[in-house]
Amino acid sequence: MTRKPRRAPLLASWLFVGLGAAAVWGPGLRLISEWFRTHERGWAMGILSAGGGVGGTLGLLVIPLMAERWGWRIGYTLTLLPVLLTAYTFFGLDA
């Protein structure tokens, strides 16, 4: 007996992915317009646009390898390291 996939979890997942993308894209463009000069904005917007595709692709390639070696929880947790490094680079730590 095969189990029929339900659509509600898939639609809910797409909803949350869309909300997350919207939470990054709008503020990201605003920050680019404030932080970069006019002649640098195209380059910065290109980096912002490519980041989602590159990050998503790297995640699909790297997370299964880490999950196979250390388990899926550690595999996903280790993906937090680039986020923390970026946050530290831009904002530093207040002691």
Side-chain angles (χ1 to χ4, degrees):
M1 186 194 263
T2 60
R3 192 172 164 193
K4 183 179 176 184
R6 294 177 26 209
R7 292 184 189 186
L10 179 62
L11 293 175
S13 298
W14 281 345
L15 172 74
F16 288 117
V17 167
L19 290 173
V24 170
W25 186 254
L29 291 177
R30 170 82 187 237
L31 291 174
I32 287 173
S33 68
E34 291 178 2
W35 289 359
F36 291 90
R37 292 184 221 127
T38 305
H39 67 279
E40 297 173 328
R41 287 184 192 156
W43 175 83
M45 287 184 184
I47 297 294
L48 176 68
S49 298
V54 171
T57 302
L58 285 176
L60 290 173
L61 296 173
V62 172
I63 290 174
L65 298 174
M66 292 189 300
E68 183 178 318
R69 182 169 182 152
W70 298 301
W72 70 270
R73 287 180 178 94
I74 298 296
Y76 275 97
T77 303
L78 289 176
T79 61
L80 182 62
L81 294 177
V83 174
L84 293 175
L85 180 63
T86 302
Y88 178 76
T89 301
F90 280 99
F91 304 111
L93 290 176
D94 292 332

